[in-house]
Amino acid sequence: MAGEISIVLMDGFAAMPAPGPEAGASNTLALGMLLYTEYLYPLEIAAVLLLVAIVAAIALTLRSRKDTRHTVASEQVKVRKSDRLRVIKMDAVVPVAAAASAVQNEEGQGAK
């Protein structure tokens, strides 16, 4: 495929003279004219290389790997709140009065 593109591009555009810049042409127009006349072949090569890179990146992401964990969506939908969350009642580890005095002590030491 790349060989056919190169044959068509090299033979087809080799005989054509490159158009010169127009008097009131903008930089964008001049750049476009230059890209599609003198640098058409390198531009096509870059396009093919980018296309191959995109296909390779997609192929690498879609391959199946052994170290990944797969989830089953139907099992996730069937889960109830009671299966995942358990609320327990427990006493505070530090009494509230002791915790408040500890916070006040820390604030007093931080101001010094």
Side-chain angles (χ1 to χ4, degrees), residues 91-102:
D91 296 331
V93 177
V94 179
V96 177
S101 65

Side-chain angles (χ1 to χ4, degrees), residues 21-98:
E22 298 176 9
S26 66
N27 287 341
T28 308
L29 180 65
L31 180 64
M33 296 285 280
L34 190 65
L35 275 177
Y36 288 110
T37 54
E38 287 188 37
Y39 297 107
L40 184 63
Y41 189 62
L43 185 70
E44 291 291 329
I45 291 174
V48 170
L49 284 175
L50 288 173
L51 180 64
V52 168
I54 290 170
V55 170
I58 291 171
L60 285 174
T61 58
L62 292 180
R63 67 185 172 133
S64 60
R65 298 188 328 195
K66 296 177 184 175
D67 60 343
T68 56
R69 295 174 49 172
H70 299 284
T71 59
V72 181
S74 61
E75 290 179 7
Q76 289 181 339
V77 171
K78 293 177 187 176
V79 172
R80 295 182 311 252
K81 180 174 71 169
S82 60
D83 295 339
R84 297 283 180 152
L85 180 68
R86 183 174 51 162
V87 178
I88 57 172
K89 189 81 169 171
M90 59 186 289
D91 296 331
V93 177
V94 179
V96 177

